[in-house]
Amino acid sequence: MKGYVFHGPGRSAWENLPDPDLKDPTDAVVRVDAVTICGTDLHILKGDVPEVRPGTVLGHEAVGEVVEVGTDVRTVRPGDRVLVSCITACGRCRYCREGVYGQCLGGGGWILGHLIDGTQAEYVRVPFADLSVYPLPGAVSDEDAVLLADIFPTAYEVGVLNGRVRPGDTVVVVGAGPIGLAAVATARLFAPERIVAVDLAAARLEAARKLGAEAVADARETPEQLVADLTGGLGADVVIEAVGVPETFEMCTRMVRPGGHVANIGVHGKPASLHLEDLWIKNVTITTGLVDTHSTPTLLRMAASGRLPTSQLVTHTFPLERMGEAYEVFAGAADTGALKVVLGGPRHDVVAADAI
């Protein structure tokens, strides 16, 4: 098969590789029909995630068809169309029993494209398949479903749920890339009074407006003042950090009101200052987190019923073999206008919901 291999910071290639085999009786091998690129993959290529060893196939999101399963797999079988989650769960350790799959102690967690070969290939081995792949309804296309492998559960769980968005809140999302836009879309489920999106790119701010942000702000033009003006000087109830650089994290802590929440989603490669000299008195809650994907079944049902605007985030499509070009387009989003790129081709008929 072919796959996209990390060879160290700044070096990667689409190249020939051995086909994956079953290693454990709980494994499944999935043929990849659709895959996407995540901002975390860009962080890996920059050297921000040193645990990724040279020679690793990148990627942790995919849709495909099961081609082989181990003897202990019970929930899927060859021929099933499935979503491959970005998080793998052993199902037996303390964290998995609590639904905190991202912290799995039994060999799971975020391992695909991180500690083992990932999904940006023609085939992928998925450990603990019973809890790590999800059968897909025919009403959800590959292109829509692949966005539920990571960005929608991450935005929803680590941003919206951790931030405790409630009806009537002012929610600020700093960073209108794919994760930030998914946070805008899923925050709306809780009927906040307003959502404010902050970014440097006009195209991304416009996308945030289309997804439901009532106000947008250029990050270079004192968005803190806009938030203060909109809230009568109080500050935002919830601020979601979806960039992963010190400046944006510190901006979030300046925007939040006393008693509010800062929910950090961004992948940080450098230290950020925590200004406790200002924050200690404000009763501010700051959360960090790796997605657990416990919400994936719920999000799949919502997607099947047309309640999630997944397709609006896909701006570019490529065949798998143009992985290098897709990375260039995604990394150059300021010039290309890319939000989410999807690679692969349709191999399944999508059944209309009203035909089921």
Side-chain angles (χ1 to χ4, degrees), residues 199-271:
D199 202 278
L200 294 170
R204 291 190 167 191
L205 293 176
E206 181 58 29
R209 280 192 185 276
K210 291 179 180 178
L211 287 168
E214 286 80 9
V216 299
D218 189 310
R220 293 161 293 204
E221 297 178 0
T222 60
E224 298 97 321
Q225 187 59 54
L226 172 63
V227 172
D229 292 343
L230 289 172
T231 59
L234 184 64
D237 300 284
V238 181
V239 187
I240 296 172
E241 201 284 338
V243 181
V245 298
E247 294 80 5
T248 52
F249 175 79
E250 293 168 29
M251 178 191 296
C252 290
T253 64
R254 294 193 298 269
M255 289 183 183
V256 69
R257 68 165 174 84
H261 289 75
V262 175
N264 182 88
I265 304 177
V267 178
H268 288 263
K270 297 179 181 179

Side-chain angles (χ1 to χ4, degrees), residues 30-261:
V30 176
R31 184 194 71 201
V32 174
D33 291 342
V35 69
T36 185
I37 301 170
C38 180
T40 303
D41 297 320
L42 300 184
H43 281 280
I44 292 170
L45 287 175
K46 291 177 183 176
D48 290 344
V49 189
E51 300 87 4
V52 182
R53 295 174 297 180
T56 301
V57 177
L58 294 180
H60 49 266
E61 311 156 83
V63 169
E65 184 176 298
V66 176
V67 296
E68 189 176 6
V69 297
T71 55
D72 288 351
V73 175
R74 297 290 181 265
T75 61
V76 293
R77 59 186 180 181
D80 284 351
R81 178 173 169 258
V82 296
L83 171 70
V84 179
S85 175
C86 66
I87 297 296
T88 303
C90 78
R92 294 187 291 271
C93 72
R94 171 179 173 175
Y95 286 116
C96 284
R97 287 178 179 271
E98 295 174 354
V100 188
Y101 307 125
Q103 304 300 325
C104 175
L105 297 172
W110 173 37
I111 57 173
L112 290 171
H114 181 207
L115 304 180
I116 67 172
D117 285 340
T119 58
Q120 290 172 6
E122 294 175 320
Y123 294 88
V124 59
R125 178 181 72 91
V126 184
F128 306 116
D130 279 336
L131 285 173
S132 307
V133 302
Y134 298 84
L136 284 171
V140 182
S141 70
D142 289 358
E143 188 174 276
D144 288 343
V146 75
L147 301 191
L148 302 181
D150 183 356
I151 68 165
F152 269 89
T154 294
Y156 182 58
E157 295 175 20
V158 185
V160 175
L161 296 185
N162 279 3
R164 299 190 180 180
V165 175
R166 296 179 300 180
D169 277 354
T170 291
V171 179
V172 179
V173 179
V174 178
I179 290 283
L181 293 173
V184 170
T186 52
R188 292 190 68 207
L189 300 173
F190 291 84
E193 179 181 1
R194 64 176 66 88
I195 300 173
V196 182
V198 179
D199 202 278
L200 294 170
R204 291 190 167 191
L205 293 176
E206 181 58 29
R209 280 192 185 276
K210 291 179 180 178
L211 287 168
E214 286 80 9
V216 299
D218 189 310
R220 293 161 293 204
E221 297 178 0
T222 60
E224 298 97 321
Q225 187 59 54
L226 172 63
V227 172
D229 292 343
L230 289 172
T231 59
L234 184 64
D237 300 284
V238 181
V239 187
I240 296 172
E241 201 284 338
V243 181
V245 298
E247 294 80 5
T248 52
F249 175 79
E250 293 168 29
M251 178 191 296
C252 290
T253 64
R254 294 193 298 269
M255 289 183 183
V256 69
R257 68 165 174 84
H261 289 75

